[in-house]
Amino acid sequence: MLTGLSAFPLTPLRDDRIDLPAFERIVTRLAAAEVDSITVLGSTGSYAYLDLDERRLVAHAAIEYAAGTPVIVGIGALRTSQVQVLADDAQAAGADAVLLAPVSYQKLTEDDVFGLYEDIAARLSVPLIVYDNPGTTHFTFTDDLYAGIAALPGVASIKIPGVPADAAAARDRVARIRERVGPGVTIGISGDSAAATGLSAGCEVWYSVIGGSLPEPALRITRAARSGNADATAAESARLQPLWDLFAAHGSLRVTAAIAEHLGLAERSSLPRPIRGLDDRARGDVARVIAELQLA
């Protein structure tokens, strides 16, 4: 389960409520595409903007709509007690694994973060994925912290935030992490523009933003990498460079929402306020790239 392509779908809203029909369209599309797993309530799923009841609703709905595709549920929250409630809810819903980021308002220390994972791992009956996303959490994991957390019971995967662009340097980076965490924990790449490099460097799983709304090109990259075809992996990622450029210009969340809305998977303004979607000019750029790359 914690290998291949893990697709991160939006949690679309309409009139400030979870848009379950849109969420069903998105999740069933991923299951039909045969992604390796679906991760709901990650950063692309806007988990930090949803209350506990909304997140419980999304977890149950995702598992129903996924129809057997493994589902990973994000459980990050400000307080450990809230994380424990979310972990219990996810397990009760039937989640195959949970994903945990160290969410904070006050700056966290390494001891704080290790203690969070230690507390949650002790109560879990499903695998735990470490969610290292410094762009949103503003916390940077060290390799020592990776190693300490990886030794906890049930920790099964670590999502790293990226690798160097140089192929040899990327291989060295993944090898160093692998040496610290051991063979029983998969290493997952995120940051979609770096995914091809990370997969070719030895990462076993791609935790993918674009896979949540455009699973087919993400699957082509993942399958080429898993077959050992580094040239095809790089070529497919290079073909998507206009999409990566949009991510760099506007942020992956806003672009992904615009794609889902353009494809009719969600209504316009599907993001939680105060996050506003792209303006009309940027939406036109998204539509043009989708058409030029034949992604619709």
Side-chain angles (χ1 to χ4, degrees), residues 115-131:
L116 169 66
Y117 285 95
E118 185 177 40
D119 289 341
I120 299 306
R123 292 184 47 169
L124 284 176
S125 59
V126 298
L128 173 62
I129 302 165
V130 177
Y131 192 11

Side-chain angles (χ1 to χ4, degrees), residues 37-286:
S37 63
I38 299 170
T39 300
V40 297
L41 299 172
S43 296
T44 310
S46 301
Y47 71 97
Y49 294 88
L50 307 180
D51 63 32
L52 298 183
D53 288 338
E54 289 171 327
R55 293 174 67 171
R56 184 180 301 115
L57 173 66
V58 169
H60 280 270
I63 290 157
E64 176 186 350
Y65 303 152
T69 299
V71 173
I72 301 162
V73 176
I75 59 171
L78 284 169
R79 292 166 58 194
T80 299
S81 60
Q82 294 171 335
V83 177
Q84 289 174 335
V85 169
L86 291 164
D88 292 343
D89 288 345
Q91 291 176 110
D96 295 280
V98 293
L99 174 79
L100 176 56
V103 181
S104 68
Y105 178 77
Q106 299 293 341
K107 186 175 181 179
L108 295 175
T109 68
E110 287 204 6
D111 285 345
D112 294 333
V113 172
F114 179 81
L116 169 66
Y117 285 95
E118 185 177 40
D119 289 341
I120 299 306
R123 292 184 47 169
L124 284 176
S125 59
V126 298
L128 173 62
I129 302 165
V130 177
Y131 192 11
D132 182 0
N133 190 353
T136 57
T137 65
H138 309 293
F139 178 85
T140 300
F141 284 75
T142 63
D143 289 359
D144 286 342
L145 186 56
Y146 282 158
I149 293 173
L152 294 171
V155 173
S157 185
I158 296 177
K159 184 198 78 66
I160 65 173
V163 293
D166 177 75
R171 287 193 298 271
D172 288 345
R173 176 63 185 139
V174 174
R176 287 197 303 273
I177 297 173
R178 168 81 58 232
E179 183 179 6
R180 299 305 305 277
V181 304
V185 176
T186 65
I187 299 173
I189 187 67
S190 62
D192 283 9
S193 63
T197 303
L199 290 168
S200 293
C203 291
E204 295 100 333
V205 54
W206 176 12
Y207 295 110
S208 174
V209 173
I210 199 61
S213 41
L214 294 172
E216 289 82 5
L219 281 167
R220 285 195 291 272
I221 291 172
T222 307
R223 288 169 179 165
R226 295 189 74 183
S227 70
N229 192 335
D231 289 342
T233 305
E236 181 61 25
S237 182
R239 189 180 79 86
L240 299 181
Q241 188 59 50
L243 192 56
W244 310 148
D245 291 341
L246 288 173
F247 277 22
H250 305 293
S252 61
L253 177 62
R254 289 178 172 85
V255 173
T256 301
I259 291 170
E261 293 164 12
H262 176 70
L263 296 178
L265 299 171
E267 300 289 335
R268 184 157 177 165
S269 301
S270 62
L271 295 174
R273 291 296 183 97
I275 303 174
R276 294 180 180 269
L278 298 182
D279 61 23
D280 288 340
R281 180 175 179 177
R283 286 174 180 274
D285 292 338
V286 170

